[in-house]
Amino acid sequence: MNYRKIIFADNAGNSRAPMAAELLKESTLKHPIDVQARGIVVLFPEPLNQKAEAVLISNGITLENYMSSQLEEEDFAQDTLIIVMESGDKQKILDMFEHAIPENVQILTELVGEELEIMNPYGGTLQAYGICYETLSKSIKKLAAILHEI
């Protein structure tokens, strides 16, 4: 399947999803892909988590004026891949969205052949966000290689 859009989705859409999206945007891909981040439950738009922002900046990535946005029915299309961080998030999306295409909603680590899911650093230390970033970085490199083969 040749995806034209990839949406990373996590709980509030203000830490793991935007970090993953920015990491993939930094990758060299064979085909142009629209990469976005969404929250599964966004009651109101929130800026990027401060600790996630600090980790991105320390790794040379600046994400200005980011505000989380809700994953919506319009986001589901045949050429759109929704990538989540945890199995519970995948099930939540499939339950919440009538137009969700089950094979187009994937867990990042499963997709790239890793065993452990991406931990949620929310409420943790800056170091926890740093570990989350490093884990995401490795997984996104593998994802970029897979996308390059498609």
Side-chain angles (χ1 to χ4, degrees):
M1 177 74 198
N2 215 350
Y3 296 106
R4 293 184 50 209
K5 183 189 284 187
I6 293 178
I7 299 174
F8 289 95
D10 72 349
N11 302 342
N14 67 348
S15 61
R16 290 178 295 177
M19 282 197 289
E22 289 308 303
L23 282 163
L24 187 56
K25 286 177 186 176
E26 299 270 315
S27 303
T28 304
L29 300 174
K30 190 162 69 172
H31 304 288
I33 298 176
D34 180 10
V35 180
Q36 300 178 10
R38 296 274 193 285
I40 298 168
V41 179
V42 178
L43 303 176
F44 52 89
E46 289 183 66
L48 184 64
N49 176 291
Q50 288 180 327
K51 291 176 183 171
E53 184 175 30
V55 168
L56 284 173
I57 289 169
S58 72
N59 284 281
I61 300 171
T62 306
L63 184 54
E64 292 182 25
N65 304 318
Y66 176 83
M67 293 299 276
S68 62
S69 58
Q70 175 69 46
L71 187 64
E72 296 177 348
E73 287 289 348
E74 302 84 67
D75 289 323
F76 296 92
Q78 202 61 45
D79 63 354
T80 299
L81 177 63
I82 309 288
I83 299 178
V84 297
M85 309 297 156
E86 303 171 52
S87 54
D89 290 343
K90 178 178 179 174
Q91 192 56 52
K92 195 182 296 181
I93 287 172
L94 295 176
D95 291 345
M96 283 174 67
F97 297 98
E98 173 181 334
H99 295 98
I101 303 163
E103 56 273 13
N104 286 13
V105 180
Q106 298 288 328
I107 302 161
L108 176 59
T109 49
E110 232 173 63
L111 191 61
V112 300
E114 294 173 353
E115 288 184 31
L116 300 176
E117 295 178 347
I118 306 291
M119 66 146 201
N120 187 349
Y122 182 76
T125 61
L126 185 59
Q127 183 182 13
Y129 281 83
I131 292 167
C132 179
Y133 174 89
E134 292 303 323
T135 309
L136 275 171
S137 182
K138 288 176 188 155
S139 297
I140 296 298
K141 281 182 180 130
K142 290 179 183 177
L143 176 63
I146 292 166
L147 291 170
H148 202 71
E149 296 301 313
I150 295 176

